[in-house]
Amino acid sequence: KNEVEQSPQNLTAQEGEFITINCSYSVGISALHWLQQHPGGGIVSLFMLSSGKKKHGRLIATINIQEKHSSLHITASHPRDSAVYICAVSSYGGSQGNLIFGKGTKLSVKP
Amino acid sequence: DAGVIQSPRHEVTEMGQEVTLRCKPISGHNSLFWYRQTMMRGLELLIYFNNNVPIDDSGMPEDRFSAKMPNASFSTLKIQPSEPRDSAVYFCASSLQENTEAFFGQGTRLTVV
């Protein structure tokens, strides 16, 4: 069993829909990261969080430490949100760059 | 700042050749990370440095792989000899400190034929 599990693996949505991507992990963590990888390949860090909720524009990330679960929400989705979204965790006591990655969720938003 | 800069962006080489990937971290960042991404295994940490010192190289797959950070503004990842199974995208990332967010470069797509 992978230490970081994401669901769904693939997601197709219509423009404007509310989107949720889930991440569960099985190790003790110091922080959880949501990353975005566009078709061109570059990786951008969206959020780093260790508790509660963070919001940036149309993106919201939440984490429940007790349940070892995080969600990434996209409100009013747009075709430019099409990308692979990757959940990663920094294990407790480790460096924030010493990440354990999920397999990613490929999101396609249709106009 | 220009962000993390990797070179080359693409590299095609023949099996058995030496390959050197380069990374320039964001100025002032003390931690540097090398990752590899493949279709089969996704993203994996290979090695990371803190203040130019290798801290954890347990992700380096074999002795054919080596990484150096001679100074705070430059790191290399070398594969010698290269094999087709090394074909992947290699990412470099840096962070201000060990416990802060990491910023990724654009990656080097390596193809070994």
Side-chain angles (χ1 to χ4, degrees), chain A residues 34-107:
Chain A
W34 282 102
L35 310 170
Q36 181 191 57
Q37 186 171 28
H38 274 285
I43 296 175
V44 174
S45 177
L46 298 175
F47 296 104
M48 177 176 125
L49 66 165
S50 54
S51 65
K53 180 168 80 172
K54 286 191 176 181
K55 185 176 188 292
H56 181 69
R58 294 179 296 106
L59 301 178
I60 303 167
T62 64
I63 188 169
N64 185 319
I65 297 294
Q66 287 72 30
E67 294 185 4
K68 295 190 174 179
H69 180 268
S70 174
S71 293
L72 176 69
H73 305 286
I74 305 175
T75 61
S77 59
H78 190 275
R80 65 174 174 266
D81 297 326
S82 298
V84 176
Y85 292 84
I86 302 169
C87 173
V89 300
S90 316
S91 51
Y92 185 75
S95 163
Q96 291 305 333
N98 191 349
L99 297 170
I100 305 169
F101 296 90
K103 296 294 186 188
T105 295
K106 186 175 182 179
L107 172 64

Side-chain angles (χ1 to χ4, degrees), chain B residues 5-56:
Chain B
I5 299 173
Q6 291 186 244
S7 64
R9 289 294 308 277
H10 303 273
E11 176 80 34
V12 180
T13 190
E14 290 185 348
M15 183 173 65
Q17 296 297 307
E18 177 180 294
V19 175
T20 299
L21 311 181
R22 297 173 177 78
C23 176
K24 182 181 187 307
I26 293 172
S27 178
H29 281 194
N30 295 323
S31 296
L32 183 140
F33 312 88
W34 282 101
Y35 301 96
R36 179 172 68 176
Q37 185 178 38
T38 60
M39 288 292 291
M40 289 295 293
R41 299 172 67 90
L43 274 160
E44 302 172 289
L45 177 71
L46 298 176
I47 184 171
Y48 80 92
F49 296 83
N50 195 44
N51 293 321
N52 311 339
V53 176
I55 302 300
D56 184 353

